Amino acid sequence: MNNLTNLTKLQIIELYACTRCGECANWCPAVDAYQDNKISPAEKIIKLRRILEGKDVENEEFAEAIFNCTTCGRCYEVCPVGIRCHELWPAVRARLLEKGYGPVEKIIELRETIEKLHNPFGLPMEDRNKWIDKDIFMEKAEIALFIGCELAYRVKPMAIGAVKVLKKSGIKFVLCDDEWCCGFPLYILGDRSDVLKKEIEHNIQIFERIGVKKVAPYCPCCYAIMKKVWKSFNGDRLPFEVVHILKIIADLVKDGKIKFKKPFYGKVVYHDPCYLSRGWEYGNNIIEEPREILRSIRGVELVELPESKKLSRCPGSGGGIRRANPDLSEKMAEQFFDMLRGVDFDVLLTSCPAVNERLNFIMEKKGYEIRVMDILEFASLHI
Ligand code: SF4
Ligand code: SF4
């Protein structure tokens, strides 16, 4: 009966719970960008049911639809029965890849790159930690920062800002000089190879070895895979707690251990990353923390985007879309800029390196001029 053997029972129940109300398609930024109902969750669900029942088979067109998604999860937020397409599609991708459908060559290339260099960009391992002050390597501390590839190689101001703000608080923390890819780029594209396992196991072992109680990632994708997936590679437990850095910093601000002395008199918008703001099941809902940090900077006038918090709009950054379908990714980023029209602000802040990269990429390509910064980079300028 089950032709999609890797789906869980709950996922199969979800497929049959769909009422075809169409609300997901109204909110899906990928459907909006392509104006193509074939990629709407409801259409994919109907096809999946047919495959399960043996009335249809996977093909290249279906694989394309399944990969045309950033796993942003906005469809889940509006779905009246709570179908978690952001989890369904990665599972279906794994099955499709096994059968040779989807961007197979791109994923094999990614796997080989990560296996060799432990980052998805093909950059040398020795360049990974070049931005770091050597004095915070491997001291004894209860908290370790997990920097992640995108911050280490591409959006260094995020990493530098986070370290500067944490240093000011006086709490002890460490950075690990042998961090590998968190595994998210492979996992989300459906790659379940040994490379994924090796990257995750290595990271768990190094943090266990240095004996920290908490590991604090910044990148929302690192955070998601650490919270949701890592323990399944370690006997269903992690030897440390995973806490997002914005939560740690917001608590330090509340306790008066971080004070911002330099004001910023201007209008600030904050873009909520999908993997931090949506009400999924792994303890995210990190919505108020960034706003609390910003409100504690004198002069900041916080302006909300028309699509924010749990319904924030993905600008085509996540779910492996930049690799799987750069065209869709760019169109989604342009639509994000359309949303910004009419919003009066001086600086747009985010806490997602992929969003940061995407917005800067489109600005350069299209000649748009807005000021985009990471929230902790911004905070570090006012400390
Ligand atoms: S919102 Fe949920 S129930 Fe409605 S069509 Fe989409 S997946 Fe189905
Ligand atoms: S996860 Fe996001 S991009 Fe994917 S189908 Fe849902 S709303 Fe669309």
Side-chain angles (χ1 to χ4, degrees):
M1 166 72 174
N2 185 358
N3 292 316
L4 288 153
T5 43
N6 61 336
L7 295 191
T8 64
K9 282 183 186 157
L10 181 60
Q11 285 175 321
I12 292 168
I13 291 168
E14 283 177 333
L15 293 182
Y16 284 91
C18 174
T19 62
R20 304 215 75 190
C21 69
E23 199 55 10
C24 48
N26 293 336
W27 288 87
C28 172
V31 172
D32 194 20
Y34 267 179
Q35 292 296 307
D36 180 358
N37 208 42
K38 272 206 295 300
I39 57 176
S40 90
E43 289 304 311
K44 292 186 253 195
I45 285 170
I46 288 295
K47 171 97 175 171
L48 276 168
R49 280 191 206 170
R50 291 182 57 79
I51 294 169
L52 269 167
E53 291 162 7
K55 295 176 186 159
D56 208 338
V57 287
E58 294 100 330
N59 57 25
E60 206 50 73
E61 193 187 26
F62 176 63
E64 207 179 293
I66 290 288
F67 279 91
N68 277 343
C69 163
T70 64
T71 66
C72 75
R74 195 153 77 154
C75 51
Y76 164 80
E77 287 298 336
V78 297
C79 175
V81 288
I83 297 174
R84 299 162 308 148
C85 295
H86 55 281
E87 304 228 333
L88 264 171
W89 307 157
V92 176
R93 287 172 182 183
R95 179 75 176 169
L96 287 165
L97 280 187
E98 270 175 29
K99 294 194 158 190
Y101 295 116
V104 181
E105 280 171 24
K106 287 181 184 176
I107 294 169
I108 291 174
E109 191 191 341
L110 175 69
R111 182 192 303 158
E112 288 170 356
T113 303
I114 291 180
E115 181 171 32
K116 202 163 136 210
L117 297 161
H118 310 301
N119 72 79
F121 312 122
L123 294 167
M125 190 65 186
E126 59 268 25
D127 289 355
R128 189 176 188 102
N129 299 321
K130 275 197 173 155
W131 59 275
I132 299 176
D133 290 346
K134 295 288 173 264
D135 64 332
I136 41 178
F137 268 138
M138 309 300 272
E139 279 180 27
K140 269 276 167 218
E142 288 196 355
I143 300 176
L145 283 194
F146 186 84
I147 297 300
C149 307
E150 195 113 20
L151 272 73
Y153 290 103
R154 280 180 157 183
V155 194
K156 294 187 184 101
M158 264 186 96
I160 295 166
V163 166
K164 272 191 191 156
V165 174
L166 265 189
K167 270 188 158 184
K168 274 281 174 185
S169 75
I171 63 161
K172 278 196 135 199
F173 64 97
V174 289
L175 295 173
C176 175
D177 62 358
D178 193 23
E179 195 184 283
W180 287 3
C181 174
C182 69
F184 182 86
L186 291 172
Y187 178 82
I188 210 68
L189 286 168
D191 187 312
R192 302 290 180 266
S193 63
D194 269 1
V195 177
L196 174 72
K197 186 172 181 281
K198 274 187 205 151
E199 298 295 307
I200 293 176
E201 285 178 352
H202 169 87
N203 285 323
I204 294 173
Q205 281 159 15
I206 51 160
F207 288 119
E208 188 166 28
R209 202 178 318 129
I210 61 176
V212 288
K213 290 200 171 127
K214 291 180 185 169
V215 176
Y218 192 177
C219 170
C221 300
C222 299
Y223 178 64
I225 194 166
M226 286 164 87
K227 283 291 245 188
K228 279 157 59 112
V229 179
W230 273 22
K231 65 176 188 235
S232 64
F233 288 86
N234 197 56
D236 215 29
R237 61 168 285 279
L238 283 181
F240 43 77
E241 191 188 347
V242 177
V243 188
H244 194 268
I245 187 167
L246 288 181
K247 185 150 188 27
I248 293 175
I249 288 177
D251 285 346
L252 290 166
V253 168
K254 242 186 270 167
D255 295 347
K257 292 191 177 130
I258 295 177
K259 289 198 172 84
F260 298 101
K261 295 190 184 114
K262 296 179 196 152
F264 177 84
Y265 294 105
K267 291 182 175 157
V268 169
V269 286
Y270 173 72
H271 163 70
D272 293 275
C274 311
Y275 281 22
L276 292 191
S277 68
R278 315 252 191 245
W280 298 341
E281 71 283 10
Y282 61 86
N284 37 359
N285 279 311
I286 299 178
I287 293 174
E288 280 313 308
E289 290 83 348
R291 288 168 174 80
E292 281 162 14
I293 295 167
L294 292 173
R295 281 192 211 105
S296 71
I297 301 173
R298 193 158 35 96
V300 163
E301 186 184 337
L302 198 52
V303 177
E304 288 298 340
L305 289 171
E307 296 168 62
S308 71
K309 301 183 178 175
K310 288 190 176 184
L311 291 176
S312 76
R313 173 180 279 267
C314 171
S317 325
I321 199 74
R322 289 177 295 170
R323 190 172 301 269
N325 187 349
D327 175 68
L328 175 58
S329 166
E330 282 188 31
K331 285 204 168 62
M332 289 173 75
E334 282 188 42
Q335 292 206 314
F336 184 86
F337 277 91
D338 288 345
M339 178 194 64
L340 295 179
R341 284 183 230 291
V343 184
D344 183 21
F345 64 91
D346 299 299
V347 57
L348 184 148
L349 303 178
T350 184
S351 49
C352 174
V355 167
N356 199 313
E357 182 280 330
R358 198 66 333 203
L359 297 186
N360 279 300
F361 171 81
I362 291 293
M363 282 196 291
E364 198 173 313
K365 189 163 173 184
K366 300 280 174 181
Y368 301 147
E369 281 183 19
I370 62 166
R371 196 171 165 213
V372 175
M373 274 179 110
D374 165 63
I375 185 173
L376 292 184
E377 177 193 5
F378 177 80
S380 73
L381 300 177
H382 299 95
I383 208 148

